[in-house]
Amino acid sequence: MFNYILKRFKKIVIRILSLMFFLMFLLVIFLYLNYRLNNKYPRPNDIFSYVEDNKSKIYLNEKNKEFLKEKDIWSIRLDKDGKVIESFNKPKEVKDKFNLTDVAGFTRFYLADYPVFTYKTGDGLLIFAYPKHSLDKLPFNYYNYKNLIFNLELVIIFLILFLVFVYIIYRIDIKNIFKNILPFQKAIDNLYEEDYEKLDEYGELKDLSFSINKANEKYKNLKEAQGKWIRGVSHDVRTPLAKISWELSKENKKDLDVENIKDQVLKISNILESLNLTLSLSNIEKENFKEENLLKVIRKLLVDKLNENPEREIIFENNIKKQNIKLKMDPNLFYRMLENILKNSIIYTKGKIRLIISESKNSLTITILDEGMGLSESIIKKVNEEDLTNITKHGLGIFISKQIAELHEGKFIIKNKHPGLEVSFIFENKN
C-alpha cells in the first residue's frame, strides 16, 4: 500500500516537474532565438566605437568603409547645416541635405524605411543605416507605469493559474488513489470471511491484489487443512484409545495387558509428535538452512537403521561422481524425511530395500525402493492431495516427508512398482 501511494506521489511530482521543465525549455528556446536574431547584426554602439577608434582626418576612411561593407551597413555624415559631407553606399533615394525636421524624424523613426542610428560627432552627425526589415526601432524611450503594474498582475495571474492547474492534477490523482484503494479496503475488511470476493489482479496494484488474494487463499487452505487434520488425527487416535479403554474395562486388573497399553500409548505419542512436527514445519525459516554434505546425512541414516535392524538387507547405490555434493538444508529435518520412508519399508515390508542416489545435469534424485505390497492408490492420492482424512499413521509419515521435501524446494514422487513402493525426492542440482 505504501509503495503504491509513493508511486502515485512520485507521479504527481514528476508531472509538476515535467511541466516546469517544459516551461523552462520554452523559455530557453525563446531566449535562444532572440539571442540568435540579436546576434545577426552588430550593435550600433559597437559600430560607432569601431569607426570612432579607426577614423583619420575623415570618419569614413577606407578601413572603416571595409568594416561597414562587411557588416552590410551604409553610412553618411552631416555637417551642422544638414548637408552630407561624407558617405558610404548611400542609396539614391536618400537626400543629400536634411533639415531639422528630417533629422528629428529619422532620429526617432526610420530614414527611407532604413533603421538608422545617429551619433554626434563634433559639430555634425554620423548616421549608420542597417538593411531594411533587419531591426525594429522603438518609438519611445519611456515605460508606462500602469503597463508595468498590469504586466506584474498578469504574471501573478499566470502563476495562480499554474498553481490551480497543479492542484487540479493533485486532486484528480488523490481521487484516483482512493478509488483504487477502496476495493482493497473492502477486501481487507472481508478477509477470512465466507463472502470474500477475489480482487482482480491487474493494473498498478496487481501485486497488492495478488498478496491479498494469496493471504485469503492461504487462510482457506489452512482452514481446510485444520479440518482434515482434526478428522485424520481423531481417526488415528480413536483405535489405540479404544484398545486402552477395553483393557482398562476389565474387571480383573491382573488380566490387564500392560504391554499392549504401553504400545497404544506409544502410538498416540508418535501421532502427536508427528502432528507437532507438521505444524512446526510451516514456521521454519528456510533462510537458516546451510550447505550440508548430503552423503554424510544419508550414511548416518543407513548406519543407524542397520544397527537397529541387523537382519534387514539395505542396499545403498551411490551413482554420483562428486562425493562432496552439498544441499542447502536442515540436517535433522532432512534425516527425518528419509527416515520416515525407510522406517516404513523396514516395518511394513520384507525383502531388500534399496536407497539410490543419482544425478543428472540439473537435478539430484534420492530414491527409496522396497519389495513390499505397496500402498493403496487411495492413500497415495490423499498424500498427493494433502488430504489427511482417514489416513493411517503409515501415510502420515509419508506426508511429513513430503512436507519436508517441499520445504527444501524439492519434488516428492510416490508410486507403486508392483511389487514394491518407490518414493523419490528430486532436488535442484546447483553444484
Side-chain angles (χ1 to χ4, degrees):
M1 185 72 72
F2 175 76
N3 287 336
Y4 169 70
I5 295 174
L6 187 61
K7 283 182 180 179
R8 298 300 299 188
F9 178 74
K10 284 181 179 178
K11 278 192 174 182
I12 295 173
V13 173
I14 289 171
R15 287 180 183 178
I16 294 173
L17 292 177
S18 299
L19 182 60
M20 292 179 65
F21 280 121
F22 178 69
L23 294 175
M24 290 175 64
F25 177 71
L26 292 180
L27 178 62
V28 169
I29 291 178
F30 172 77
L31 295 175
Y32 175 73
L33 292 177
N34 274 271
Y35 169 77
R36 286 292 301 273
L37 290 174
N38 287 335
N39 232 26
K40 186 175 181 180
Y41 299 97
R43 292 184 300 175
N45 288 345
D46 293 341
I47 296 295
F48 175 71
S49 296
Y50 184 89
V51 171
E52 180 75 20
D53 292 341
N54 292 281
K55 70 180 180 179
S56 52
K57 292 181 180 181
I58 60 174
Y59 276 85
L60 300 178
N61 55 28
E62 291 302 321
K63 184 174 183 179
N64 284 337
K65 285 181 179 180
E66 192 68 27
F67 174 73
L68 293 175
K69 182 180 179 181
E70 181 183 340
K71 303 300 181 183
D72 194 20
I73 294 172
W74 61 266
S75 178
I76 57 175
R77 181 170 172 245
L78 307 180
D79 61 13
K80 63 180 180 179
D81 297 323
K83 184 179 179 181
V84 176
I85 56 176
E86 288 185 62
S87 70
F88 170 70
N89 284 348
K90 180 177 77 68
K92 292 181 180 180
E93 64 266 28
V94 176
K95 297 187 297 183
D96 292 326
K97 184 175 177 57
F98 299 89
N99 57 36
L100 192 61
T101 304
D102 294 331
V103 173
F106 67 67
T107 301
R108 178 64 63 186
F109 298 102
Y110 296 83
L111 174 58
D113 290 334
Y114 289 94
V116 296
F117 299 89
T118 307
Y119 293 89
K120 183 180 176 183
T121 57
D123 57 352
L125 298 176
L126 184 61
I127 299 162
F128 300 107
Y130 284 71
K132 292 181 179 180
H133 310 298
S134 58
L135 300 177
D136 291 325
K137 294 190 69 177
L138 301 176
F140 57 85
N141 56 1
Y142 62 88
Y143 196 80
N144 190 305
Y145 175 76
K146 290 184 178 180
N147 196 26
L148 173 64
I149 298 301
F150 172 77
N151 287 331
L152 289 176
E153 291 174 347
L154 200 62
V155 169
I156 293 173
I157 290 172
F158 286 164
L159 180 62
I160 293 173
L161 289 175
F162 173 76
L163 294 176
V164 169
F165 177 71
V166 170
Y167 178 74
I168 291 172
I169 293 178
Y170 167 77
R171 293 299 302 176
I172 291 173
D173 280 340
I174 291 296
K175 185 178 179 181
N176 289 334
I177 288 174
F178 282 108
K179 181 181 177 182
N180 290 330
I181 288 178
L182 186 60
F184 294 98
Q185 183 179 347
K186 291 180 179 178
I188 292 172
D189 290 339
N190 294 328
L191 197 61
Y192 309 143
E193 300 292 338
E194 294 295 334
D195 58 346
Y196 173 82
E197 294 184 8
K198 188 174 182 180
L199 292 167
D200 295 326
E201 296 176 4
Y202 66 87
E204 293 177 325
L205 293 174
K206 62 181 180 181
D207 293 337
L208 183 57
S209 301
F210 176 78
S211 298
I212 294 176
N213 289 335
K214 189 175 181 180
N216 190 70
E217 186 178 353
K218 280 185 176 180
Y219 171 77
K220 286 178 67 177
N221 293 337
L222 178 62
K223 193 174 180 180
E224 291 175 4
Q226 286 176 341
K228 293 175 182 178
W229 271 113
I230 292 172
R231 290 191 296 272
V233 172
S234 64
H235 175 271
D236 286 344
V237 173
R238 191 181 303 121
T239 301
L241 283 177
K243 291 182 179 180
I244 294 172
S245 178
W246 181 79
E247 287 291 340
L248 294 176
S249 65
K250 292 179 179 180
E251 294 182 3
N252 189 353
K253 301 303 179 183
K254 293 182 180 180
D255 296 334
L256 290 177
D257 188 347
V258 176
E259 292 300 323
N260 185 29
I261 293 176
K262 288 182 179 179
D263 185 50
Q264 302 308 318
V265 170
L266 182 61
K267 288 180 181 179
I268 295 174
S269 176
N270 290 335
I271 292 171
L272 294 178
E273 181 189 355
S274 297
L275 175 60
N276 289 331
L277 176 60
T278 53
L279 292 176
S280 66
L281 286 176
S282 60
N283 298 320
I284 291 177
E285 298 290 338
K286 292 189 288 186
E287 289 76 12
N288 297 327
F289 288 3
K290 296 180 180 179
E291 296 282 345
E292 300 286 348
N293 190 314
L294 175 63
L295 292 178
K296 183 178 178 181
V297 177
I298 293 176
R299 288 193 178 103
K300 182 179 185 306
L301 172 66
L302 291 172
V303 170
D304 291 344
K305 294 307 160 189
L306 286 171
N307 288 336
E308 294 171 6
N309 306 275
E311 75 285 355
R312 295 303 301 267
E313 186 177 2
I314 303 175
I315 302 171
F316 177 46
E317 296 181 15
N318 184 358
N319 298 322
I320 60 175
K321 297 178 180 179
K322 189 176 179 181
Q323 299 303 302
N324 192 30
I325 194 163
K326 292 184 177 182
L327 284 179
K328 206 169 184 180
M329 65 167 80
D330 180 312
N332 295 325
L333 287 177
F334 206 87
Y335 180 97
R336 180 65 179 271
M337 175 189 77
L338 299 176
E339 182 192 33
N340 285 347
I341 307 302
L342 189 57
K343 190 175 180 180
N344 281 344
S345 295
I346 293 172
I347 295 173
Y348 297 103
T349 70
K350 295 180 179 180
K352 296 178 182 179
I353 301 171
R354 286 182 170 82
L355 195 156
I356 307 165
I357 178 170
S358 57
E359 64 179 334
S360 64
K361 184 178 180 180
N362 299 316
S363 64
L364 181 72
T365 304
I366 304 171
T367 302
I368 298 176
L369 175 63
D370 60 42
E371 296 179 347
M373 299 299 294
L375 286 176
S376 67
E377 293 299 328
S378 63
I379 291 180
I380 293 177
K381 183 179 179 182
K382 286 179 182 292
V383 170
N384 288 331
E385 295 177 355
E386 299 186 3
D387 181 2
L388 301 184
T389 308
N390 297 328
I391 198 168
T392 65
K393 57 184 178 297
H394 189 168
L396 185 58
I398 295 174
F399 177 73
I400 292 172
S401 294
K402 179 176 183 288
Q403 280 189 307
I404 296 174
E406 291 173 348
L407 183 64
H408 287 79
E409 298 181 356
K411 294 181 181 179
F412 176 88
I413 300 174
I414 180 172
K415 56 186 176 182
N416 287 313
K417 296 297 287 185
H418 306 293
L421 180 72
E422 182 182 82
V423 178
S424 297
F425 303 94
I426 305 173
F427 302 94
E428 184 179 353
N429 187 3
K430 297 181 181 180
N431 293 280

